[in-house]
Amino acid sequence: MDEKLGGEAESAGARRSRADRGGGAAARRAARSGGGPGQSLTYIRRRIGVYEVLDEEGLALIEKNADTILEEVGIEFRDDAEALELFRQAGADVRGERVHFPRGLPRSLLKTAPSIYTQHARNPDRNVEIGGKGTVFAPVYGPPFVRDLDGKRRYATIEDFNNFVKLSYMAPSIHHSGGTVCEPVDVPVNKRHLDMIYAHIKYTDKPFMGSVTAPERAEDTMAMAKIVFGDDFVENNTVLTSLINANSPMVFDETMLGALKVYARHNQACIVTPFILAGAMSPVTVAGTLTQVLAEVLAGASLTQLIRPGAPVLFGTFASSISMQSGAPTFGTPEPSLVSYGAAQLARRLGLPFRTGGSLCASKVADAQAAYESANTLNSTLLAGTNFVLHAAGWLEGGLSSGYEKFMMDIDQLGMQQRFAEGVDLSENGQAMDAIRQVGPGSHFLGCDHTQANFQTAFYRSNIADNNSYEQWLAEGEKRADQRANELARRWLESYEAPLLDQGIDDGLRDFIARKKESMPDAFT
């Protein structure tokens, strides 16, 4: 869940062995079979088009209305004199804590923001490109609870956190380790960010997100990143992509602004994301929500360029509808998908990478409701052309729980999405003319040379779904999909092997964490 819901040298990765590097053919085989522990797929390079719901007239109307909000209503930047002064110097009309933007000012400031950037991992083979035709899947973010492998809903622990990082590392279709994959409530709140960042460095070599719950925790993240990558490398490259939520409607608070300033100063990427439950935090209409989303992103994202021109920033949106009876968030419904499609179009017009979506659901367990709602959200996420997908696996209960079984089921679906994004193979092999000539009318293709050469990689093979006969299903224990996911998660965790981490870097991280923890008393609030 997002924060508001809960929630130089060569890098060590360049020095580690590259024995696990796989070629394109291996990646395609993994994509079709669901892969296996440790088989990594590179981030998606989409070969399919995007789905758009707004024409030029509609886009221009929403942009005009957003400019009106920025100019007439304004956006509040609370308890941050530096941000207010920067906007004032840039030409905005600052009245107290509310900033009114002349038309076109935020867009002008955002011209220095890159449309595509590389986030470096400590293993360079796992670097991801965010923007353009790239899509990067990252796991669930922020839940205080877990649905564990014994079927219990309970508060998350640091062991759970480590487990989800390990599963993300082992999942072929997860390209990014994410951030707060669950909130480890057994660790003091003022110290847990140290353990979480260490887990992302120790237990995986994929890229990861930084802490945003306080500016000093963002600074700690930067310090740990520099131990791994080196000062100069970090200042000149992006090694972190971190979530900055607007406090919708039309407010940025001091916590988020503090973290944004830390990361932007160090050339690290910020995902500026209005956190919206439509009907409560935005109007009930799609057009009204899109207008507010655009205004909030323009305001927050432009601040990154005042801090450091050229710092990467993403156009983010998290938009859900609510039950008008209970007020609870709902997922997999049509209106948030329309918001995602429209927001993606607006992001492309701004020239910013786009974040939305995931495998979102309101279900409390990994059941049919979870599957339908997650599939609806995930399909629209990919078709929108999303570049960074947070909550791609493990989300339950409206973001209150991270589910082990749900995580395994979701990554299976992510593998399917990765295959779908490859589009249609029009190579000589893909055209299959030899097969058609060989088989001719009235026969079948099962035994022909082309089928024999391609049968292992032709179709995606799920490692969760049961496609066998009823009799075989009975003989194997009548297991449901969630039961098979449970068994798979247990096997993966039992077989986990950590990627190599330079001992000197590990010692430096442990020493930094020990000194930081000793410098302050425990706090749980």
Side-chain angles (χ1 to χ4, degrees), residues 329-413:
T330 56
F331 300 93
T333 52
E335 296 80 12
S337 291
L338 291 170
V339 171
S340 293
Y341 288 129
Q345 291 181 256
L346 294 166
R348 286 191 287 272
R349 285 163 71 92
L350 272 176
L352 297 180
F354 180 61
R355 171 260 160 155
T356 194
S359 299
L360 309 181
C361 67
S363 184
K364 315 308 179 283
V365 296
D367 60 3
Q369 179 184 342
Y372 279 121
E373 292 176 353
S374 294
N376 284 342
T377 308
L378 187 59
N379 287 339
S380 62
T381 296
L382 186 73
L383 291 175
T386 305
N387 302 117
F388 188 85
V389 183
L390 200 54
H391 314 306
W395 169 292
L396 278 175
E397 199 183 336
L400 289 175
S401 291
S402 297
Y404 283 84
E405 295 166 351
K406 177 66 159 43
F407 182 93
M408 303 306 292
M409 294 168 71
D410 286 340
I411 61 173
D412 185 41
Q413 295 298 307

